Amino acid sequence: MSTACKEAQAVTVGLGGRAYEIRIGAGLLAEAADCMLAHLDFLDATPRPRAAIITDRNVARLYLDELESSLNAAGIAHETRILPPGEATKSFAHYHQLSEWLLERRFERGDFIIAFGGGVIGDLAGFAAATLRRGMRFVQIPTTLLAQVDSSVGGKTGINSTHGKNLIGAFHQPSLVIADTSVLDTLPRRELLAGYAEVVKYGLLGDAAFFAWLEDNGARVLAGDGQALARAIRTCCEMKSAIVARDERESGVRALLNLGHTFGHALEAALGYDGTLLHGEAVAIGMVQALRFSAREGLCPAECASRAEAHLSALGLPVDTSAIRDRLPGAEALAAIMAQDKKAKGGKLVFILARGIGEAFIAEDVPARRVEDFLRGELERDG
Ligand code: ADP
Ligand code: ZN
């Protein structure tokens, strides 16, 4: 095994026969193919399986040469499909074109896909892998912080519909995840910060000590300190993989990962997903709202919400709706959006609330009216 791959931090996602490794470290990209040869038994077959690299224009411009050179040196044949960056790429049209391209280039069931990019590429390429020839193997090389800590772990893949985001998809686990922290150097600051919100989510939902570590080290993580980044990413991946191993298909505990997401999605949806808020920014506001709501319901001390708010806002994330207040509908409409959320069950809303930092729980029967009253108060305060 190459040095960078050997020295990388490792997390094993324990899913029995579908268990896989996440390797995390600086400089892994240059040795990506060695890492694959060390971890993917199927590459020993003759003829050796070919790789279909799916990426976007930004990632290709910066890093495709490095990945291709590594594959060339290791004798892994490959072809590359470069897609436009942005959420619009997670569409039926792109999924269709990509599938036809893979078939036209004669990718077989025994070949494999490399999803090389952020969450958009991971979700689309993963979904193509899940469905092409009834399922191909795939390797994730996530290049955004968000994708490294969240979307590349756990096997959710999919595309958007005109009816909503991620409504068409499949659970399909990758065979290997290679997270190179060095590629985050070129990520726009705002994207990095948005990904950081999901990092904070892990502390808030289940690990108070990690949250405290982030309070002390968050600035180092955001400054691109390789060790701090690798430690943060590893902790998130460990937590997510432990949760996914217990509940792969989100029938229970996996819902905890949605902390801040019901409130956050409502804001994103109310703004028509127009990019005013990045997903992670909406989650930052959503987490603070979930904690403030928890405090208002008497479930956790108010200090718990204000501590989360202080940390997120110190690092530059939005924590309330004041900047977007003019563009939001009223509390009633926001609550109605939440009720339509695919996680709503019956008339009651399913929320992730908290009893303290690191102590989130699933609240199955939150009356929609109490949420609406709460939101009314928030909107008045922010307006
Ligand atoms: P997410 O992972 O947040 O869902 P996307 O896949 O939409 O994000 O990626 C966010 C943006 O960042 C896209 O424009 C993408 O091309 C770009 N991008 C992804 N990775 C990198 C990187 N390592 N350096 C610079 N830009 C990147
Ligand atoms: Zn999220």
Side-chain angles (χ1 to χ4, degrees):
M1 211 190 298
S2 67
T3 7
C5 185
K6 220 182 307 177
E7 284 166 7
Q9 309 247 22
V11 176
T12 304
V13 184
L15 287 168
R18 284 166 299 114
Y20 60 93
E21 287 263 307
I22 304 171
R23 310 295 296 192
I24 305 154
L28 283 181
L29 183 59
E31 305 182 21
D34 290 337
C35 213
M36 290 178 206
L37 289 175
H39 290 284
L40 302 173
D41 294 344
F42 65 79
L43 289 180
D44 297 339
T46 7
R48 179 174 273 171
R50 295 153 65 219
I53 303 171
I54 318 298
T55 188
D56 76 23
R57 222 181 292 119
N58 296 332
V59 176
R61 179 173 47 81
L62 292 159
Y63 300 112
L64 184 57
D65 279 353
E66 207 171 334
L67 175 59
E68 290 189 330
S69 311
S70 159
L71 294 169
N72 288 336
I76 300 175
H78 52 88
E79 292 197 53
T80 302
R81 177 88 170 163
I82 301 175
L83 301 170
E87 187 73 24
T89 297
K90 268 175 67 174
S91 67
F92 245 121
H94 280 286
Y95 166 68
H96 178 193
Q97 287 162 18
L98 177 58
S99 302
E100 295 293 351
W101 177 84
L102 288 162
L103 293 169
E104 186 190 296
R105 299 299 163 105
R106 303 197 178 283
F107 279 96
E108 304 281 339
R109 197 169 187 192
D111 293 324
F112 69 113
I113 286 177
I114 299 177
F116 185 38
V120 166
I121 289 297
D123 285 3
L124 171 69
F127 185 50
T131 49
L132 204 90
R133 300 188 187 276
R134 297 204 181 84
M136 289 174 70
R137 284 170 292 222
F138 82 117
V139 171
Q140 293 259 26
I141 307 185
T143 63
T144 64
L145 182 57
L146 180 71
Q148 293 188 349
V149 299
D150 211 46
S151 36
S152 71
V153 192
K156 281 190 182 177
T157 71
I159 56 174
N160 302 329
S161 143
T162 49
H163 295 279
K165 288 191 24 158
N166 299 322
L167 290 180
I168 301 149
F171 285 98
H172 188 57
Q173 303 294 342
S175 305
L176 174 67
V177 179
I178 300 172
D180 182 350
T181 53
S182 320
V183 304
L184 302 178
D185 286 350
T186 51
L187 196 63
R189 171 88 187 168
R190 196 177 160 201
E191 298 281 351
L192 187 70
L193 256 181
Y196 183 80
E198 300 268 2
V199 173
V200 173
K201 179 186 82 177
Y202 288 95
L204 293 176
L205 81 85
D207 189 341
F210 180 51
F211 180 77
W213 184 85
L214 289 171
E215 287 180 312
D216 294 337
N217 295 280
R220 273 175 65 210
V221 171
L222 288 168
D225 176 322
Q227 275 187 337
L229 265 170
R231 155 118 196 237
I233 294 165
R234 190 199 51 186
T235 305
C236 297
C237 290
E238 275 169 356
M239 269 177 84
K240 182 155 186 182
S241 65
I243 290 173
V244 169
R246 281 169 62 196
D247 176 22
E248 189 178 358
R249 286 171 182 257
E250 196 166 326
S251 43
V253 61
R254 187 166 179 166
L256 289 175
L257 297 169
N258 294 326
L259 176 65
H261 282 61
T262 306
F263 286 107
H265 280 154
L267 297 174
E268 288 183 279
L271 296 166
Y273 294 101
D274 66 350
T276 307
L277 281 182
L278 296 180
H279 172 70
E281 293 169 340
V283 168
I285 301 172
M287 290 189 299
V288 171
Q289 287 181 334
L291 293 176
R292 286 172 58 85
F293 181 68
S294 300
R296 189 178 130 127
E297 295 288 301
L299 296 164
C300 77
E303 185 261 338
C304 152
S306 49
R307 204 172 142 201
E309 184 172 352
H311 178 57
L312 292 163
S313 89
L315 293 176
L317 279 157
V319 290
D320 61 39
T321 57
S322 50
I324 48 171
R325 179 67 195 84
D326 298 348
R327 309 209 17 240
L328 290 177
E332 200 176 329
L334 282 176
I337 294 175
M338 290 179 189
Q340 278 164 25
D341 195 297
K342 62 181 186 301
K343 279 140 205 150
K345 285 187 191 158
K348 306 270 178 121
L349 297 173
V350 180
F351 272 92
I352 310 306
L353 302 178
R355 297 199 174 87
I357 302 260
E359 295 175 60
F361 68 98
I362 303 169
E364 296 264 350
D365 48 4
V366 180
R369 259 212 35 243
R370 296 194 69 84
V371 179
E372 193 182 316
D373 288 347
F374 165 76
L375 286 171
R376 194 165 293 117
E378 294 294 285
L379 291 175
E380 270 165 26
R381 182 193 65 152
D382 297 345

